[in-house]
Amino acid sequence: MRKVASLAGVSVATVSRFLNGTARVSDAKRTTLENVIGRLNFKPNMLAQGLKMGSSRTIGVLTPPLGSDYRNDMLNGIDQAMSAAGYAPLIVSGHRHADDEVERIELLIARRVDGLVILTDKLPDQQILGFSARVPIVAFGRELNGANAFGFGLDNYQAACELAEYLICLGHRSIAFIAGPGQADAAARLAGYLDTLARHGIDADPGLIVPGDWTEAGGVLAVSRLLESGRRFSAIFAANDLAAYGARLALYRRSIRVPEDISIVGFDDLHSSMYATPPLTTVHQPLCEAGRRIGEALLMLIDGKPCRIDIPPMHLVVRESVRRI
Amino acid sequence: MRKVASLAGVSVATVSRFLNGTARVSDAKRTTLENVIGRLNFKPNMLAQGLKMGSSRTIGVLTPPLGSDYRNDMLNGIDQAMSAAGYAPLIVSGHRHADDEVERIELLIARRVDGLVILTDKLPDQQILGFSARVPIVAFGRELNGANAFGFGLDNYQAACELAEYLICLGHRSIAFIAGPGQADAAARLAGYLDTLARHGIDADPGLIVPGDWTEAGGVLAVSRLLESGRRFSAIFAANDLAAYGARLALYRRSIRVPEDISIVGFDDLHSSMYATPPLTTVHQPLCEAGRRIGEALLMLIDGKPCRIDIPPMHLVVRESVRRI
DNA sequence: TTGAAAGCGCTACCAA
DNA sequence: TTGGTAGCGCTTTCAA
């Protein structure tokens, strides 16, 4: 910058003012500066700016290990919202343990991120609230309402009810459920299934509820167990699409047709679900949209404004993996 | 830091030395410092460190818009390599145009990233070489060999040959090909298909080569066209898994069985391919591994060492979407 | 409208 | 082994 200043015959202060439009600069110096800066291809050092301004124009995003296409849509949305505001996301993936994630967050704070997005579910709410004293945080998948932190989730319960309702309307009474491991989302989905059954006066058979682990392999295993148990069921409600894929494969292996013999529904609406064989009936999670909301909420928080966001709704998307019986 | 220094009764210089292990610090001050730092929960400001050291310990990664699970494995690998070395990735997604990407790169440079990874293919090699004068770059999907830049790709040609070979060995002679749009990868895959056919003395029917766009929708469309053209074929070679999914759906819609009536192979080995109906025979791209290699290469370049990396091989993974005829 | 100068929080050099 | 101190490249008073 000093170089620019001397070449343009002005002070560094003027250069700065020109760059940021902080104050009027005379037209003469204005054009000279434009010239010199263009010639030198000068770009202000954002590290220095950040140091001075106390803001890195960077946010941290703590995600589950990258790779499932599930949360990538959300990252996409966050990116859209933030990059429009000149922020760049530092994406770090959480790992096995909560301790590990604490460390990643400390690192992000050391980098002086202006805000934090937490997409993982290992950390207790209390700890997040604690961090929020140091940096604004918005978290996904949990209700949170601190002064400097905000958390929300999509309405899994409602969507699960809708899905179960749909199955029941089509005549299904014996519906197996492949559960996810114990997080909030998993519980809400299971509760939606259970309550809807109850509302229709159907006794849920506990033997029809089998554990999964959100993966395809878990789905395969769950269905194998179900089949071996000898229990009868006409439909499978998988707590997520991946498990539904696994379930579908387990059925295929045994030459059980979908949906003629057994119906399947998933949850998430991954991109491939539309192209599965048969296309999977599932619940669409507006992840990209949610990501955008997260970004906007964080921007508000960073600005010191209270944030209020309306949660985008999920909706049932009917395709071809369920038949009326 | 000044606070820590005064509370510990030492100079900031000593604090710095203690923090970085730059010089021996007496045991007495050592323990005092540990204490004070722990009590204050002090974390050095990496922005200031970066400004001083001329290194942000951050790298930039320019990727295609996030969301396809295809390159996420690679991001994962990059993250593994870099975070082990204390670097964090600033992931920005390229957009529609090359101009756009240039701008993103300029932004990354303004943030003083220590290195750059380029995963997109819109930018001409020449331009990348240009940027490499300012920052070390490793690019994926193109051959590059500058002083400060390195680029490599997986051997698409070889893998495509292997795949075509496999089909031919199983008796297929009329093999349709769903192409990708004109990038290097697409060309290599097509060439592998064509050359292998030729090597076996099979005349490739140009009418059997239809354009796709790397998406499922493109695959659906391609197969529809193929079918409408009235041409006969026993197998479909899709230039990527997504197109294979689309092809599979188009067949399903017409009650054409896979692999009994028509065989399909894909390319990429996405996670879901293992769970497709039927599980898809395809070529596995060691993307995560490649990402790790990219990270290591970049680390070398950042260190000013020349980088030499061996490219992980792709391999055929035989599943159930092809039958012998 | 402009320039001089005081830091932002750190590291590393020079002396002690 | 320590402390003092000069910057890293910028923004922003305060005066002119």
Side-chain angles (χ1 to χ4, degrees):
Chain A
M1 189 155 121
R2 209 155 33 218
K3 199 163 172 183
V4 174
S6 74
L7 251 64
V10 299
S11 73
V12 289
T14 305
V15 180
S16 169
R17 284 191 277 253
F18 168 74
L19 249 24
N20 304 307
T22 318
R24 272 211 64 71
V25 176
S26 71
D27 284 356
K29 314 215 174 213
R30 190 172 206 77
T31 46
T32 330
L33 276 170
E34 260 161 14
N35 237 304
V36 176
I37 289 176
R39 200 144 45 74
L40 260 50
N41 191 15
F42 170 80
K43 295 280 184 295
N45 182 333
M46 292 187 64
L47 253 45
Q49 291 186 159
L51 178 58
K52 182 66 196 180
M53 311 295 294
S55 150
S56 57
R57 292 200 85 70
T58 302
I59 62 157
V61 181
L62 184 67
T63 74
L66 267 44
S68 98
D69 97 354
Y70 170 69
R71 302 234 161 155
N72 287 323
D73 283 341
M74 196 172 309
L75 291 182
N76 224 345
I78 295 174
D79 187 50
Q80 283 170 24
M82 301 309 291
S83 67
Y87 281 81
L90 218 34
I91 300 174
V92 314
S93 36
H95 289 294
R96 295 153 280 288
H97 303 302
D99 291 356
D100 222 66
E101 304 204 334
V102 168
E103 195 189 316
R104 315 293 281 189
I105 292 181
E106 290 287 5
L107 213 61
L108 252 9
I109 292 180
R111 284 176 181 275
R112 293 303 185 268
V113 292
D114 296 338
L116 221 49
V117 173
I118 297 184
L119 262 22
T120 62
D121 47 21
K122 297 228 176 53
L123 249 32
D125 289 2
Q126 214 40 53
Q127 204 150 14
I128 294 185
L129 253 13
F131 280 122
S132 78
R134 300 203 265 156
V135 58
I137 299 181
V138 8
F140 180 75
R142 55 177 101 212
E143 303 298 324
L144 226 56
N145 237 317
N148 208 21
F150 180 71
F152 73 98
L154 266 17
D155 193 346
N156 284 278
Y157 176 78
Q158 176 52 42
C161 287
E162 213 176 315
L163 206 43
E165 192 75 36
Y166 173 74
L167 250 17
I168 293 170
C169 281
L170 258 47
H172 294 276
R173 289 293 174 275
S174 299
I175 305 172
F177 188 90
I178 305 178
Q183 324 301 345
D185 288 1
R189 293 177 195 181
L190 178 56
Y193 156 85
L194 252 17
D195 291 359
T196 306
L197 248 43
R199 203 175 314 119
H200 284 267
I202 302 172
D203 283 338
D205 173 358
L208 246 28
I209 300 175
V210 290
D213 59 0
W214 300 130
T215 71
E216 297 102 332
V220 171
L221 207 64
V223 168
S224 302
R225 257 193 240 164
L226 234 23
L227 258 16
E228 280 157 20
S229 78
R231 285 188 163 73
R232 315 285 280 156
F233 53 93
S234 63
I236 299 174
F237 183 144
N240 67 331
D241 280 6
L242 254 28
Y245 296 169
R248 202 270 171 272
L249 179 62
L251 262 18
Y252 174 79
R253 288 252 177 278
R254 292 169 176 77
S255 301
I256 298 174
R257 295 164 305 165
V258 174
E260 292 81 354
D261 302 324
I262 288 189
S263 298
I264 298 186
V265 297
F267 204 111
D268 281 348
D269 193 22
L270 302 185
H271 292 121
S272 4
S273 295
M274 193 189 307
Y275 296 92
T277 319
L280 185 67
T281 291
T282 184
V283 164
H284 182 73
Q285 298 216 56
L287 262 10
C288 181
E289 184 61 25
R292 229 172 296 136
R293 297 284 216 288
I294 290 173
E296 288 158 9
L298 190 54
L299 251 16
M300 304 247 72
L301 246 31
I302 291 175
D303 268 13
K305 298 178 209 151
C307 82
R308 185 100 317 275
I309 80 173
D310 52 335
I311 286 87
M314 302 204 217
H315 63 269
L316 178 66
V317 3
V318 173
R319 291 202 271 248
E320 305 158 36
S321 60
V322 178
R323 90 173 243 258
R324 177 181 300 278
I325 59 172
Chain B
M1 190 157 120
R2 213 162 20 226
K3 198 162 171 185
V4 173
S6 73
L7 250 63
V10 300
S11 74
V12 289
T14 306
V15 180
S16 170
R17 282 190 280 252
F18 168 73
L19 250 24
N20 304 308
T22 321
R24 272 212 61 73
V25 176
S26 71
D27 285 355
K29 314 215 175 214
R30 189 172 208 76
T31 46
T32 329
L33 276 172
E34 261 161 13
N35 237 302
V36 176
I37 289 176
R39 201 145 43 74
L40 259 49
N41 191 15
F42 171 80
K43 295 279 183 296
N45 182 334
M46 292 187 64
L47 252 46
Q49 292 186 158
L51 177 59
K52 179 67 195 181
M53 309 296 293
S55 149
S56 57
R57 293 201 85 70
T58 302
I59 63 157
V61 180
L62 184 67
T63 74
L66 268 43
S68 96
D69 98 352
Y70 171 68
R71 303 232 161 159
N72 288 321
D73 283 341
M74 196 172 307
L75 291 182
N76 223 347
I78 294 174
D79 186 49
Q80 282 171 26
M82 301 310 292
S83 67
Y87 281 81
L90 218 34
I91 300 174
V92 312
S93 37
H95 290 294
R96 296 152 280 287
H97 303 302
D99 292 355
D100 223 67
E101 304 204 333
V102 168
E103 195 188 317
R104 313 294 281 191
I105 292 181
E106 289 288 5
L107 212 62
L108 253 10
I109 292 180
R111 283 177 182 273
R112 295 302 186 268
V113 293
D114 296 338
L116 221 49
V117 173
I118 296 184
L119 263 21
T120 62
D121 47 21
K122 298 230 173 53
L123 251 29
D125 289 3
Q126 212 42 53
Q127 204 150 14
I128 293 185
L129 255 12
F131 279 121
S132 77
R134 300 202 265 155
V135 57
I137 298 182
V138 12
F140 180 75
R142 55 178 101 213
E143 302 298 323
L144 226 57
N145 238 317
N148 209 21
F150 180 71
F152 74 97
L154 267 17
D155 193 345
N156 284 278
Y157 176 79
Q158 177 50 43
C161 288
E162 213 175 314
L163 207 44
E165 191 76 36
Y166 173 73
L167 251 16
I168 294 170
C169 282
L170 258 46
H172 294 275
R173 289 294 174 274
S174 300
I175 304 172
F177 188 91
I178 304 177
Q183 324 300 346
D185 288 1
R189 293 175 195 182
L190 178 57
Y193 156 86
L194 252 19
D195 290 0
T196 307
L197 248 43
R199 203 175 313 119
H200 285 269
I202 302 172
D203 284 337
D205 173 356
L208 246 28
I209 299 175
V210 290
D213 59 0
W214 300 130
T215 71
E216 297 102 332
V220 171
L221 206 65
V223 168
S224 302
R225 256 193 242 163
L226 234 23
L227 259 15
E228 278 156 22
S229 79
R231 285 188 162 74
R232 314 285 280 156
F233 53 93
S234 64
I236 299 173
F237 183 143
N240 66 331
D241 281 5
L242 253 28
Y245 297 168
R248 203 270 171 268
L249 179 62
L251 262 19
Y252 174 77
R253 288 252 176 278
R254 292 170 177 77
S255 301
I256 299 173
R257 293 164 306 166
V258 174
E260 292 80 356
D261 303 323
I262 288 189
S263 298
I264 297 185
V265 298
F267 204 111
D268 281 348
D269 193 22
L270 302 186
H271 292 120
S272 5
S273 295
M274 192 189 307
Y275 296 91
T277 319
L280 184 67
T281 292
T282 185
V283 164
H284 182 74
Q285 297 216 57
L287 261 12
C288 180
E289 183 62 26
R292 229 171 296 137
R293 296 284 216 288
I294 289 174
E296 288 158 8
L298 190 54
L299 251 16
M300 305 245 73
L301 246 31
I302 291 175
D303 267 14
K305 299 177 208 152
C307 82
R308 186 100 319 276
I309 79 173
D310 52 335
I311 286 87
M314 300 206 221
H315 64 268
L316 178 65
V317 4
V318 173
R319 291 203 272 248
E320 304 160 36
S321 61
V322 179
R323 89 171 245 260
R324 176 182 300 278
I325 60 173

